Amino acid sequence: MLYRLLIFATLMVTWLIFSGLFDAFHITLGILSAAFVTAISSDLFFDNRDISASARLGQAIRMVRYLAWLLWQVVLSNIDLLKLALSPDLKKVEPRIVRIQTGLKSDFEKFLLANSITLTPGTITVKILGDVFYIHAISEHAAQGLDGEMERRIAAIFSPPGPKTDTAATEGGAN
């Protein structure tokens, strides 16, 4: 029940943000829509329901940080693509298919990676076969952007933070 409530709240907040309309009609429509989507899809979200609410909150915070980082990457890629489009040297346009192997575990993590790649201008996820992604990149620079940073950040969202260690003790700080 807690997860259904969390899904409903997430969908409702998303509805309110994207609609920007706060009159009774639109809020009621948002409630009905969020309730319907929650009812038909709550089994699809939150694969592992053994995670505590505080751990879920941590994931949500890390997801917001990731989305802010992704937005910045989209801006940088747009600038790079604009430079490419306005360049008189068309030889810089070197389309290619890049094959990458991912270590991401869940389907949702892979889904997030595929969509993040596609949202970034200059790259499109063409095909996913198991753990292998085939990505179209418009240039060498766009292909170099597939260095694994996005995958590492997505993995960090869903993996619990590691235990903190005392660096003085591990580095031989006790003299």
Side-chain angles (χ1 to χ4, degrees):
M1 184 62 182
L2 175 65
Y3 281 102
R4 285 182 185 254
L5 187 60
L6 184 59
I7 292 167
F8 174 80
T10 302
L11 292 172
M12 191 61 206
V13 167
T14 304
W15 173 275
L16 292 172
I17 290 170
F18 285 135
S19 76
L21 302 170
F22 302 100
D23 57 274
F25 174 75
H26 288 95
I27 290 174
T28 303
L29 196 57
I31 290 169
L32 292 173
S33 298
F36 177 71
V37 172
T38 299
I40 65 170
S41 66
S42 65
D43 301 8
L44 302 175
F45 295 114
F46 303 122
D47 238 7
N48 182 358
R49 295 189 180 204
D50 296 332
I51 297 175
S52 69
S54 63
R56 285 282 183 218
L57 181 60
Q59 286 179 344
I61 291 168
R62 291 189 299 272
M63 178 67 86
V64 169
R65 285 187 199 142
Y66 171 74
L67 292 175
W69 175 83
L70 179 62
L71 181 61
W72 180 243
Q73 297 308 304
V74 168
V75 169
L76 293 176
S77 293
N78 270 305
I79 292 168
D80 188 54
L81 208 54
L82 181 63
K83 287 178 187 176
L84 186 65
L86 296 177
S87 171
D89 184 16
L90 290 178
K91 292 179 183 177
K92 291 182 180 180
V93 177
E94 299 172 336
R96 65 196 65 212
I97 298 292
V98 180
R99 179 186 179 275
I100 63 169
Q101 178 91 24
T102 182
L104 297 174
K105 305 282 187 264
S106 74
D107 287 342
F108 184 75
E109 290 170 325
K110 293 174 188 176
F111 162 81
L112 188 58
L113 177 61
N115 282 293
S116 296
I117 290 168
T118 299
L119 282 172
T120 308
T123 55
I124 297 173
T125 304
V126 178
K127 190 178 212 176
I128 303 170
L129 294 173
D131 292 338
V132 178
F133 284 56
Y134 294 92
I135 301 153
H136 178 273
I138 196 165
S139 67
E140 175 69 29
H141 188 265
Q144 289 173 353
L146 300 168
D147 61 357
E149 179 65 21
M150 193 176 283
E151 181 180 351
R152 283 188 294 279
R153 288 177 180 263
I154 290 171
I157 294 169
F158 299 101
S159 63
K164 294 183 180 178
T165 60
D166 183 11
T167 55
T170 59
E171 294 175 1
N175 291 332

